[in-house]
């Protein structure tokens, strides 16, 4: 079976983690501090605070911006549930925004229609690795949190994605652009990032009030640093795979993502079908290829809300096929052939 996603682990990664384990310094320490420096340099931002996951990063970014009870936060409906959880954990109310058919992130026009005096922030994901233009969201006049969970390594007009909002978040989950098993970060201006560093820990702090432990271990940070050093090679390989898919699928019956002026790093290669993805997914599985719906289920469906036509359309036509650096060209061809056969049927 060709897996839907798989991390690229090299001997150098293993050696870096082993060295940390041998050192006995397992918990947050110099590797976490080193990862924070590496990320800030890579993303052209003042500072980074490394935390335990992308979801924790979103929650702590919102808290750093003083978003809480009485606020609304604009988020896409067509996205993983992490955003909804982060907003509700802060005590704020998520306001769902319909999808943009081109970027597959949230629609700036629909976001504008849903802004109120209570809007405390908007979370803008660079969905599936495509860096979106932040300008229309900045124009909403509320703090923008850039969600780079799927887009580490992407550029917008020569600037790394993650440097244009009030804050940005990253994820180092096992399937992401760089993998540490779990992990995340908040990046941006030093004063806001300092609030995240303060909030991720509970030890020896006054007063005794609700706090959390959202720290990353040095073992994970060492793996993330080792992977970050290879990010450019990962992005190049993902782009080469995408180009090969585009060529192989050019005359088939599914829509394929363009490279959007090299803004796309292809965390996911999402194809648009003319039919229900479940049938195609089953046909691919029968030919040894694991494919997934790119979003499990849009949030508006879980909440019984209506008025999200574009997200509905995406949910009922989009399918994510394997795309990761460890995929061999022969496997890319096998996936493409299986997809062509499945959509032809
Ligand atoms: C766009 C987006 N934001 C946030 C997250 C949450 O990241 P994590 O799984 O590290 O909590 C994910 C995870 O899939 C994601 O895709």
């Amino acid at each position: 079976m060709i897996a839907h996603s798989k991390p690229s682990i090299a001997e150098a990664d293993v050696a870096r983690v082993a060295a940390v384990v041998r050192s006995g310094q397992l918990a947050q320490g110099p590797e976490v501090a080193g990862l924070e420096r590496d990320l800030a340099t890579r993303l052209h931002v003042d500072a980074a605070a490394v935390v335990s996951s992308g979801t924790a990063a979103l929650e702590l970014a919102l808290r750093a911006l003083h978003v809480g009870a009485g606020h609304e936060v604009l988020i896409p409906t067509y996205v993983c549930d992490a955003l909804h959880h982060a907003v509700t954990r802060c005590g704020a109310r998520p306001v769902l925004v319909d999808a943009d058919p081109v970027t597959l992130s949230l629609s700036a026009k629909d976001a504008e229609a849903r802004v109120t005096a209570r809007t405390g922030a908007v979370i803008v994901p660079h969905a599936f690795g495509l860096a979106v233009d932040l300008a229309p969201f900045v124009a909403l006049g509320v703090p923008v949190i850039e969600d780079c969970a799927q887009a580490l390594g992407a550029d917008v007009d020569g600037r790394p994605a993650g440097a244009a909002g009030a804050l940005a978040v990253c994820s180092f989950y096992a399937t992401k652009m760089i993998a540490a098993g779990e992990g995340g970060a908040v990046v941006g201006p030093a004063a806001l990032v300092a609030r995240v560093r303060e909030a991720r820990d509970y030890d020896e702090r006054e007063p005794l009030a609700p706090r959390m432990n959202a720290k990353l271990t040095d073992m994970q940070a060492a793996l993330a640093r080792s992977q970050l050093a290879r990010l450019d090679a990962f992005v190049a390989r993902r782009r080469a795979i995408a180009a090969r898919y585009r060529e192989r699928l050019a005359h088939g019956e599914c829509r394929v993502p363009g490279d959007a002026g090299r803004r796309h790093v292809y965390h996911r290669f999402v194809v648009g079908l003319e039919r229900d993805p479940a049938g195609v997914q089953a046909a691919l599985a029968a030919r040894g290829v694991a494919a997934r719906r790119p979003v499990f289920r849009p949030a508006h469906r879980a909440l019984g809300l209506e008025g999200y036509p574009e997200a509905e359309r995406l949910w009922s036509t989009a399918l994510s096929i394997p795309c990761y650096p460890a995929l061999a060209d022969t496997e890319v061809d096998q996936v493409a052939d299986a997809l062509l056969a499945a959509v032809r049927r």
Side-chain angles (χ1 to χ4, degrees):
M1 194 78 174
I2 297 178
H4 177 246
S5 49
K6 202 183 340 183
S8 297
I9 303 297
E11 278 310 311
D13 298 328
V14 176
R16 286 281 288 268
V17 177
V20 173
V21 175
R22 281 197 196 96
S23 78
Q25 169 58 54
L26 307 185
Q28 176 184 288
E31 290 290 346
V32 166
L35 177 57
E36 291 176 341
R37 285 193 303 276
D38 294 352
L39 279 171
T41 305
R42 170 81 208 203
L43 297 177
H44 300 190
V45 291
D46 281 354
V50 162
V51 296
S52 53
S53 70
T55 309
L58 281 169
E59 179 182 338
L60 292 173
L62 287 164
R63 290 187 189 278
L65 293 167
H66 298 309
V67 173
H71 286 125
E72 294 170 354
V73 178
L74 300 172
I75 60 169
T77 182
Y78 190 70
V79 76
C80 75
D81 287 348
L83 281 67
H84 195 274
H85 294 311
V87 174
T88 52
R89 281 180 55 83
C90 290
R93 190 172 82 82
V95 173
L96 305 182
V97 178
D98 200 8
D100 180 297
V102 176
T103 66
L104 313 192
S105 186
L106 75 178
S107 149
K109 197 161 163 262
D110 193 41
E112 193 182 349
R114 295 180 195 264
V115 171
T116 71
R118 291 177 299 280
T119 308
V122 53
I123 304 177
V124 182
H126 299 296
F128 313 120
L130 174 61
V132 303
D133 181 9
L134 235 56
F137 299 101
V138 172
L140 297 174
V142 298
V144 177
I145 298 178
E146 261 185 283
D147 186 335
C148 302
Q150 303 185 322
L152 211 54
D155 288 336
V156 191
D157 302 331
R159 292 178 69 191
L167 283 171
V169 300
C170 310
S171 165
F172 314 129
Y173 179 64
T175 60
K176 293 299 196 316
M177 297 299 291
I178 65 169
E182 296 281 0
V186 181
V187 307
L192 291 177
V193 168
R195 289 185 197 158
V196 175
R197 275 204 200 110
E198 166 58 24
R200 73 184 167 192
D201 199 0
Y202 66 86
D203 201 28
E204 298 185 356
R205 281 170 165 83
E206 298 286 11
L208 179 61
R211 280 189 163 267
M212 67 201 293
N213 177 357
K215 300 194 299 300
L216 197 72
T217 68
D218 256 23
M219 295 174 288
Q220 292 161 299
L223 182 51
R225 291 183 83 186
S226 183
Q227 292 255 307
L228 187 59
R230 302 213 309 287
L231 178 59
D232 288 336
F234 290 161
V235 170
R237 178 64 194 144
R238 284 175 182 275
R239 285 188 174 141
I241 291 170
R244 197 174 179 97
Y245 273 141
R246 268 198 297 275
E247 203 183 301
R248 306 279 305 198
L249 299 171
H251 305 295
E253 292 166 32
C254 53
R255 292 178 303 282
V256 294
D259 88 340
R262 293 179 66 77
R263 282 185 178 196
H264 213 316
V265 292
Y266 300 100
H267 171 253
R268 296 284 184 231
F269 194 87
V270 177
V271 299
L273 305 171
E274 300 297 333
R275 64 179 77 178
D276 177 31
V280 176
Q281 193 178 1
L284 287 174
R287 287 172 164 259
V289 175
R292 300 270 298 270
R293 278 186 204 265
V295 167
F296 164 64
R297 171 265 299 116
H300 72 269
R301 283 198 155 230
L303 300 170
L305 302 176
E306 298 203 340
Y308 298 91
E310 197 51 47
E312 278 291 310
R313 195 191 60 76
L314 282 174
W315 192 68
S316 54
T317 57
L319 190 68
S320 167
I321 59 175
C323 185
Y324 44 87
L327 205 62
D329 282 351
T330 49
E331 293 176 308
V332 175
D333 295 348
Q334 194 183 324
V335 174
D337 290 346
L339 181 58
L340 288 171
V343 295
R344 217 178 287 132
R345 277 207 275 147

